[in-house]
Amino acid sequence: LNENGSPYATLGFKVSDGALYSTGSAYTLTINVTPVNDAPTIDTISNLTTPEFTQPNVDVTARDVDNSLTCSAVTITSGNQTLLPNGKISITKQQTSTGFVTCTLTLSPVQYQTGSAVITVTATDGNSTATTSFTLSVTSTNDAPTLSPIANQNTNEDTPLNVTLSIGDPDGSYG
């Protein structure tokens, strides 16, 4: 609850000694509840595994009982700048309602990079912050081998021709 107000509640009462009650009108007790800033919260975000060359989306929902939040109040940082630089994280959609905002993040890991990154999400209401994190795991896929262009070759009849081929494999192995 985030209840507050002045007066928040008023109670009327009389006192008794077990036989008689106090005379006159009831006594009044007024309770005032002074509002304080409540920190925002962030819903739990599940860890995510995705194959390389994909750009997964992740929904982040931040809540604040005191204020309406927007995605500009949410920051996202990657713990592995080689795999997922901060500049490769973007907010692509915002959905707001009273007391919460859902921001859709698009994560764009660097091509040919695999591994894990801890993604930290922070929401602020200007006074307090909430932080949570999740792990993005990027798995390897079998990438096609490469062959460098071969220039046209000339040779005389009955003369062997040696051609050097330049092959590669982004996965690091070839035979």
Side-chain angles (χ1 to χ4, degrees), residues 35-57:
V36 296
N37 182 60
D38 295 292
T41 60
I42 303 171
D43 290 2
T44 300
I45 305 168
S46 297
N47 293 334
L48 176 65
T49 299
T50 188
E52 63 181 323
F53 307 112
T54 60
Q55 296 181 332
N57 291 328

Side-chain angles (χ1 to χ4, degrees), residues 138-149:
V138 179
T139 58
S140 180
T141 59
N142 186 15
D143 301 312
T146 60
L147 175 64
S148 296

